Amino acid sequence: MTFLLAGASKTEMKNYNGNGLVYVMNPHLDLMDEDILYHLDLGTKTHNLPAMFGDTKFVCVGGSPNRMKAFAQFMHKELGLEGDGKDIKDICAGTDRYCMYKVGPVLSISHGMGVPSISIMLHELIKLLHHAKCRDVTIIRIGTSGGLGIEPGSVVITDTAVDSFFKPQFEQVILDNVVTRSTELDRDLAEELLECSRQIKDFPSLIGHTMCTDDFYEGQGRLDGALCSFSREKKLEYLKRAYNAGVRNIEMESTVFAAMCRLCGLKAAVVCVTLLNRLEGDQITAPHEVLLDYQQRPQQLISLFIRKCLGLWNPNGLSEDVI
Amino acid sequence: MTFLLAGASKTEMKNYNGNGLVYVMNPHLDLMDEDILYHLDLGTKTHNLPAMFGDTKFVCVGGSPNRMKAFAQFMHKELGLEGDGKDIKDICAGTDRYCMYKVGPVLSISHGMGVPSISIMLHELIKLLHHAKCRDVTIIRIGTSGGLGIEPGSVVITDTAVDSFFKPQFEQVILDNVVTRSTELDRDLAEELLECSRQIKDFPSLIGHTMCTDDFYEGQGRLDGALCSFSREKKLEYLKRAYNAGVRNIEMESTVFAAMCRLCGLKAAVVCVTLLNRLEGDQITAPHEVLLDYQQRPQQLISLFIRKCLGLWNPNGLSEDVI
């Protein structure tokens, strides 16, 4: 089962340096007459995927459907597209599993919470980008997270996603074998994003490790779940060990996101704002408007990055949203 | 870390035979001044939980928000409540993470896809039932699944949820320890549900093991994901081994659902319809209206069960929905 990882490095090299196409590592796929992307309510026979998606250059994913709709509307405005973007259409309206919006070269998709939920979406999204013959796609997860030893509202740009044991790996069960995959993200992209964040006023940001857990309560050392068998001291001892291992925030999707994007030749980044400092508490108690402000920060940063890539950003003519 | 499991059996016995309250296994919870159920947008200070939820006797959970709304509307009709139920209100409207509807003693909640997503909801739901002082609550997951060696459209009532290795257990990471929890479900409730299903015409149903995976593609042996490193033969060999171990369907939430409900003294069942026979294929190709009909089957069964429990079901005066 190790050929996957060995094969991946070669593939990645080819993709980053080669034709820029999204790589699907599945020899069976070419033999299929039709591919139904069930959870996206799209398919190769029912939809003209190259026409619908072929010009996609940026894919932004996040847990909450409302937030991903708001991001699409925000990008509509930021890219100076016609109309007010209010009537933007959910491409996956036929299913309530995920939502998807397209704004120029930007695709905005929700992925729900947790590794399994984002993994289903990523399988179908990667096949979608492959069928649509997209080239040179950058994919960014914009999310919320718990911070470790940093001010709430800080934006963490992930260099490496780590598991609950602080290891930079994702364990994928394939049939009943466990395969270990690397969770390293694109270092240049992370640095570029950090550089962009420096252009935004009052924007606390840093590069660090992101810990990905399969559970919000016991798995993240919270004392406020329905089940809790450890003391406050044990919790803090664990979180401090995580901090010392370089972890600056905790969320629930980054390892599989990093692993799958890496295998398929997608340049990927994870940009999450922290809603609280987990060394100080467990409950998210900040007022609604403060949380709303925090959640807009990754969106602001990604908008600036995309506009910069598209040559639409002028550092001397900052828009209202940026300063 | 093993005291949790040892403690649980005693607790369960007490709850099943005792006061019927939902048990929260967390000594820290009583010390908290306020409990914010963040992902449900509810809290002990902002909402009168006993008044809102105290009379809840049945909790039905399922992945899709639309389906759980439809189930609430269906139950509204089936329980003969006033009005047409069309304007039923989402109690969690302030968040888009989950949706929740209350219809008489029935609570209908969505949980998204995968173990982490349902686990967040269950932590907050169990605390909700605890804060609301609910008694003698039965909780049923109604879902969709892939079948193994049975006709598509069959309804599987789970006796035991098993993991990808066919083991009747759920591995919970707590801080960085792995704790193993039992995933056995209530045998009497499963038998009662099977008996109810016999009352519905043309209703293929059976009791069997349900396999829970963390992935829809590689983890379930699908050949049609973005990544696939195994042959059709290896896939079939794995699925046949699962069948021989007693597995009749595959989904993505049952192990943590069984484990958490068991620990908290909730009588629990899993009732999933199968959308395809995985020994025959991977893609869900049945027409939309057939899938819609399949998805209504668990709802029909649970409606009959609830009405029977409430003394509202007369076997000689079957309603239109049942025959």
Side-chain angles (χ1 to χ4, degrees):
Chain A
M1 295 313 255
T2 49
F3 91 86
L4 252 184
L5 274 177
S9 330
K10 281 182 214 153
T11 307
E12 279 167 353
M13 295 313 292
K14 196 180 89 187
N15 279 311
Y16 277 124
N17 305 321
N19 58 20
L21 285 170
V22 178
Y23 193 79
V24 168
M25 296 184 68
N26 179 358
H28 304 282
L29 218 60
D30 286 341
L31 310 171
M32 284 166 59
D33 182 38
E34 178 180 13
D35 188 10
I36 299 174
L37 309 172
Y38 178 71
H39 301 87
L40 301 180
D41 197 37
L42 293 168
T44 50
K45 278 201 173 168
T46 46
H47 299 79
N48 184 342
L49 301 179
M52 289 172 76
F53 299 101
D55 64 344
T56 303
K57 295 292 175 202
F58 304 94
V59 180
C60 299
V61 305
S64 143
N66 288 351
R67 186 152 36 81
M68 296 322 288
K69 183 179 185 180
F71 176 69
Q73 289 171 328
F74 176 58
M75 283 311 303
H76 185 101
K77 191 173 137 231
E78 293 279 282
L79 294 177
L81 300 179
E82 267 179 47
D84 63 3
K86 288 244 163 87
D87 55 349
I88 195 164
K89 212 182 118 237
D90 179 5
I91 300 168
C92 303
T95 172
D96 61 349
R97 301 298 191 170
Y98 304 107
C99 71
M100 181 191 286
Y101 303 91
K102 189 163 183 300
V103 182
V106 181
L107 206 56
S108 176
I109 315 174
S110 71
H111 57 58
M113 288 186 287
V115 160
S117 186
I118 194 176
S119 126
I120 297 175
M121 189 280 281
L122 285 175
H123 270 280
E124 300 185 12
L125 168 69
I126 289 166
K127 291 197 295 174
L128 169 69
L129 298 173
H130 172 75
H131 294 312
K133 303 190 173 23
C134 297
R135 276 176 197 269
D136 302 317
V137 175
T138 297
I139 181 166
I140 303 174
R141 163 165 148 69
I142 50 176
T144 56
S145 62
L148 267 194
I150 54 178
E151 274 300 297
S154 302
V155 171
V156 179
I157 301 160
T158 309
D159 51 7
T160 300
V162 300
D163 66 14
S164 302
F165 311 95
F166 321 138
K167 286 190 190 152
Q169 63 179 43
F170 175 66
E171 290 193 348
Q172 172 71 47
V173 178
I174 301 182
L175 306 179
D176 49 359
N177 295 300
V178 180
V179 172
T180 300
R181 291 176 174 166
S182 162
T183 52
E184 217 176 300
L185 288 152
D186 192 291
R187 169 62 76 162
D188 293 342
L189 180 56
E191 293 287 353
E192 207 175 335
L193 288 166
L194 185 69
E195 184 51 39
C196 282
S197 75
R198 302 268 182 260
Q199 313 292 324
I200 311 177
K201 209 178 145 192
D202 297 331
F203 198 94
S205 60
L206 62 147
I207 288 182
H209 294 352
T210 295
M211 182 161 78
C212 175
T213 69
D214 279 338
D215 170 41
F216 187 77
Y217 288 96
E218 294 175 282
Q220 294 189 12
R222 275 192 162 81
L223 301 171
D224 63 340
L227 302 166
C228 181
S229 57
F230 47 84
S231 65
R232 186 176 303 272
E233 290 68 36
K234 281 275 174 205
K235 162 201 158 170
L236 285 174
E237 185 268 331
Y238 175 67
L239 292 182
K240 282 176 186 162
R241 267 196 292 133
Y243 183 89
N244 291 335
V247 174
R248 291 297 173 270
N249 65 338
I250 311 175
E251 45 78 272
M252 298 178 65
E253 293 87 14
S254 58
T255 48
V256 76
F257 174 83
M260 287 183 68
C261 294
R262 198 178 154 80
L263 283 173
C264 297
L266 281 164
K267 214 169 161 178
V270 176
V271 176
C272 290
V273 70
T274 60
L275 302 183
L276 75 167
N277 178 0
R278 287 298 318 290
L279 297 180
E280 310 274 315
D282 295 330
Q283 293 232 315
I284 300 163
T285 51
H288 188 70
E289 55 278 13
V290 172
L291 293 177
L292 220 60
D293 172 55
Y294 287 172
Q295 289 179 30
Q296 277 159 358
R297 293 185 183 178
Q299 302 188 20
Q300 279 185 299
L301 173 57
I302 301 315
S303 163
L304 193 151
F305 167 75
I306 290 175
R307 283 180 295 137
K308 201 176 152 202
C309 292
L310 296 174
L312 296 174
W313 183 67
N314 172 4
N316 302 318
L318 295 176
S319 83
E320 251 182 285
D321 298 293
V322 177
I323 34 176
Chain B
M1 295 312 255
T2 49
F3 91 86
L4 253 184
L5 274 178
S9 335
K10 280 182 214 152
T11 307
E12 279 168 352
M13 295 312 292
K14 196 179 89 188
N15 280 310
Y16 277 124
N17 306 321
N19 58 20
L21 286 169
V22 179
Y23 193 80
V24 168
M25 296 183 68
N26 179 357
H28 304 282
L29 219 60
D30 287 341
L31 310 172
M32 284 166 60
D33 182 38
E34 178 179 15
D35 188 10
I36 299 174
L37 309 172
Y38 178 71
H39 301 87
L40 301 179
D41 197 37
L42 293 168
T44 51
K45 278 201 174 168
T46 46
H47 298 80
N48 183 342
L49 301 178
M52 289 172 77
F53 298 102
D55 64 344
T56 303
K57 295 293 174 199
F58 305 95
V59 180
C60 299
V61 305
S64 144
N66 289 351
R67 187 152 35 82
M68 297 321 288
K69 183 179 186 180
F71 176 69
Q73 288 171 328
F74 176 57
M75 284 310 303
H76 185 100
K77 191 173 136 230
E78 293 279 280
L79 294 176
L81 300 179
E82 266 179 49
D84 62 3
K86 289 243 164 87
D87 56 348
I88 196 164
K89 210 181 119 237
D90 178 5
I91 301 168
C92 303
T95 171
D96 60 351
R97 301 298 190 170
Y98 305 107
C99 70
M100 181 192 286
Y101 303 92
K102 190 164 183 299
V103 182
V106 181
L107 207 55
S108 177
I109 315 174
S110 70
H111 57 58
M113 289 187 286
V115 160
S117 186
I118 194 176
S119 126
I120 297 175
M121 189 279 282
L122 285 174
H123 270 281
E124 299 185 12
L125 169 68
I126 289 167
K127 292 197 294 174
L128 169 69
L129 298 173
H130 172 75
H131 293 313
K133 302 190 175 24
C134 298
R135 279 175 195 269
D136 303 316
V137 175
T138 297
I139 181 165
I140 303 174
R141 163 164 148 70
I142 50 177
T144 55
S145 61
L148 266 194
I150 55 178
E151 274 300 298
S154 301
V155 172
V156 178
I157 301 161
T158 309
D159 51 5
T160 300
V162 301
D163 65 15
S164 300
F165 311 95
F166 321 138
K167 286 191 190 150
Q169 63 180 42
F170 174 68
E171 291 193 347
Q172 171 71 48
V173 178
I174 302 182
L175 306 179
D176 49 359
N177 294 300
V178 180
V179 172
T180 300
R181 290 176 174 167
S182 163
T183 52
E184 215 176 302
L185 287 152
D186 192 291
R187 168 60 78 160
D188 293 342
L189 179 56
E191 293 288 353
E192 207 174 334
L193 287 166
L194 185 70
E195 184 52 38
C196 282
S197 75
R198 301 270 182 260
Q199 313 292 323
I200 311 177
K201 212 179 143 190
D202 297 330
F203 198 95
S205 60
L206 63 146
I207 288 182
H209 294 353
T210 296
M211 181 161 79
C212 175
T213 68
D214 279 338
D215 170 41
F216 187 77
Y217 288 95
E218 295 175 282
Q220 294 188 12
R222 276 192 161 82
L223 301 171
D224 63 340
L227 302 166
C228 180
S229 56
F230 47 84
S231 65
R232 187 176 303 271
E233 291 67 36
K234 281 276 174 205
K235 162 202 159 170
L236 285 174
E237 185 268 330
Y238 175 66
L239 292 182
K240 282 177 186 162
R241 269 197 291 134
Y243 183 88
N244 292 334
V247 173
R248 289 299 173 270
N249 65 338
I250 312 176
E251 45 79 272
M252 299 178 66
E253 293 88 13
S254 58
T255 48
V256 75
F257 174 82
M260 286 184 69
C261 294
R262 198 178 154 81
L263 284 173
C264 296
L266 281 164
K267 215 169 161 176
V270 176
V271 175
C272 289
V273 71
T274 60
L275 302 184
L276 76 167
N277 178 0
R278 288 297 318 290
L279 298 179
E280 311 273 315
D282 295 331
Q283 293 232 317
I284 300 163
T285 52
H288 188 69
E289 55 279 12
V290 172
L291 293 177
L292 221 58
D293 172 55
Y294 287 172
Q295 289 180 30
Q296 277 160 357
R297 293 184 184 178
Q299 301 189 20
Q300 279 186 299
L301 173 56
I302 300 315
S303 163
L304 193 151
F305 167 75
I306 290 175
R307 284 180 295 137
K308 201 176 152 202
C309 291
L310 295 174
L312 295 173
W313 183 67
N314 172 4
N316 302 317
L318 296 177
S319 84
E320 252 182 286
D321 297 294
V322 177
I323 36 176

